[in-house]
Amino acid sequence: VGAVFLFDLNGTTPTQVARITASDGTSQDKLGYSVDVSGNLIAAGAKDVDVSGKSNVGAAYLFRRESNGSITELAKLMHEDPQSGDYFGDAIAVGNSVVAVGAKDDDVLVSGSNKSNAGSVTLFKIDAAGNVNRAMTLTAPSPYNNVYFGNSLAISGDVLAVGEYGRSNHAGRVYLYKL
């Protein structure tokens, strides 16, 4: 099923303060395959979640650590067009009221042509009350087969960095977006 563990690093020995699981977790979901933390928000990918009979579609979860230390599950985040083998959630980043979720194996349709494993990144906005809404889905400026856009993600301030390792004989690229 998977889990995410939070530790307090103050003092001489790290102390576990929480074990986080998904409210609907099942065997082989792999919650915690990717994780990121920003303030009191914890985002976690579960890249092997099955959806409606489709295997390894993936999902992501957003949690909030409350002032009393308890954990609240705010949302389960899903791909807008879930397909087998997308592995949505194999990369994740949270910051600046945004959760970015990568699906590096997502197939992308470009001018009627399917680009296998081109990859995508879905952005979700978090409002002050903790509500989460899909904002948009990004693909590489020139999607192509097996480039794996979204295999790594990072948010710092108002900048999102998206990694893509499969283009140009695996030389790789990083795309920067202003949030």
Side-chain angles (χ1 to χ4, degrees):
V1 175
V4 174
F5 295 85
L6 293 182
F7 289 87
D8 180 349
L9 300 178
N10 294 318
T12 57
T13 304
T15 305
Q16 181 181 328
V17 295
R19 179 182 184 271
I20 302 170
T21 57
S23 60
D24 64 349
T26 61
S27 179
Q28 301 300 316
D29 283 353
K30 297 183 182 154
L31 178 70
Y33 187 84
S34 57
V35 295
D36 196 18
V37 176
S38 179
N40 64 344
L41 296 174
I42 302 118
K47 72 178 192 85
D48 288 348
V49 167
D50 296 340
V51 176
S52 301
K54 297 175 183 173
S55 62
N56 303 324
V57 169
Y61 294 83
L62 183 64
F63 303 93
R64 180 176 59 211
R65 185 167 188 216
E66 306 297 347
S67 58
N68 66 4
S70 66
I71 304 296
T72 301
E73 184 177 311
L74 296 178
K76 179 179 183 177
L77 310 174
M78 299 292 299
H79 192 287
E80 62 193 332
D81 181 26
Q83 298 299 318
S84 292
D86 280 348
Y87 300 106
F88 185 82
D90 67 353
I92 199 158
V94 62
N96 200 21
S97 299
V98 172
V99 180
V101 183
K104 70 175 178 62
D105 293 312
D106 189 13
D107 295 343
V108 174
L109 193 62
V110 179
S111 301
S113 176
N114 185 51
K115 303 300 180 185
S116 177
N117 299 325
S120 68
V121 175
T122 304
L123 303 180
F124 298 87
K125 291 289 286 177
I126 310 161
D127 69 18
N131 299 308
V132 183
N133 294 297
R134 181 185 324 278
M136 68 178 60
T137 298
L138 305 172
T139 59
S142 300
Y144 201 74
N145 292 325
N146 304 313
V147 295
Y148 307 105
F149 178 84
N151 74 284
S152 58
L153 301 168
I155 295 175
S156 181
D158 64 351
V159 175
L160 167 66
V162 178
E164 172 193 84
Y165 69 83
R167 194 178 303 265
S168 302
N169 294 319
H170 298 282
R173 289 186 181 173
V174 175
Y175 299 91
L176 301 177
Y177 297 88
K178 188 164 176 76
L179 297 172

